[in-house]
Amino acid sequence: FFMFRCFSRRGMATPTAAAPAATATEAAPPATEAPAATTEAGAEAGEAPTTTATAIDQRGVSVALVRRLLALVPADASTTEACTQVFLPRTQQRPGSTESCAVVDLYADEVDEHGQPLVGPATVFVSHAWRYNLHSVLQTMLSFAEEAEEEEEKEKERRTVTLPL
C-alpha cells in the first residue's frame, strides 16, 4: 500500500519544491505521533516551549486504488490541480457528513475485484512535488509495484528447501 495524501483546504500541506521525478521507497516503521510545527503561545522567557503531538495517519492506497485514481486524473494535471479540481470536491461532498475527509476515507470500506481492501497499512512512502504531473506520479507508483511483484516472484524461485530422506 502506498502512503499518498491529498488534504482538505483546512489541512492542506503547503506544496514544496522537490526533485522532478516521483520516488517510491520502502516505508519506515510506522510512527504514531509527530510533534506539531507550532509551539504554545505565551511561553515565559527561559521556559521550554511546549509542543502538541498529532497522530499520523498510516493508511495507504492499494495498487487497485491507484489505478482507479489514475482514471480520475486528467493526463496533464499537476498534483495541485488534481487535488483542487478532482479530489477536494469529492472529499467535501461525502454522503452523510458535513465535514471533509481524506481520499482514503472515501474508499476505506471498499474492496477490489479480488476482494482485497483498497485501503490498508502503508508499506511504501511516495515523495513528489505538487507542481509536477500527477498522472506521471501515479504511473511511477504502478511501475514500482509491478517491479516489486516481479522481484518477489524471483525470490520465491530462488528459495531452496531441505528435504531429508
Side-chain angles (χ1 to χ4, degrees):
F1 289 91
F2 294 99
M3 180 183 290
F4 184 72
R5 297 285 181 269
C6 182
F7 301 99
S8 66
R9 277 276 177 221
R10 76 168 183 240
M12 184 180 285
T14 305
T16 57
T23 58
T25 59
E26 295 300 318
T32 56
E33 295 185 345
T38 58
T39 59
E40 189 175 304
E44 298 289 329
E47 288 183 21
T50 57
T51 60
T52 58
T54 305
I56 297 173
D57 188 345
Q58 294 293 313
R59 294 176 296 168
V61 297
S62 68
V63 170
L65 184 49
V66 171
R67 286 188 185 109
R68 283 193 192 182
L69 299 177
L70 187 62
L72 298 174
V73 175
D76 61 345
S78 68
T79 300
T80 302
E81 293 164 341
C83 280
T84 57
Q85 298 168 13
V86 177
F87 299 121
L88 288 178
R90 283 175 168 75
T91 61
Q92 292 171 343
Q93 298 172 4
R94 186 166 62 156
S97 178
T98 57
E99 297 208 10
S100 60
C101 64
V103 171
V104 293
D105 292 326
L106 298 175
Y107 299 95
D109 298 324
E110 293 189 33
V111 295
D112 66 14
E113 63 276 5
H114 305 292
Q116 298 300 309
L118 294 178
V119 175
T123 56
V124 177
F125 176 76
V126 176
S127 178
H128 68 288
W130 281 52
R131 67 178 176 208
Y132 293 109
N133 183 285
L134 182 58
H135 217 263
S136 295
V137 172
L138 295 174
Q139 287 287 8
T140 300
M141 291 166 66
L142 292 175
S143 294
F144 177 83
E146 288 172 13
E147 289 174 19
E149 189 173 301
E150 289 171 9
E151 193 59 39
E152 276 182 34
E153 287 302 314
K154 288 178 186 176
E155 182 61 33
K156 286 179 187 177
E157 291 172 10
R158 288 190 289 261
R159 291 184 186 143
T160 59
V161 178
T162 302
L163 180 61
L165 296 175

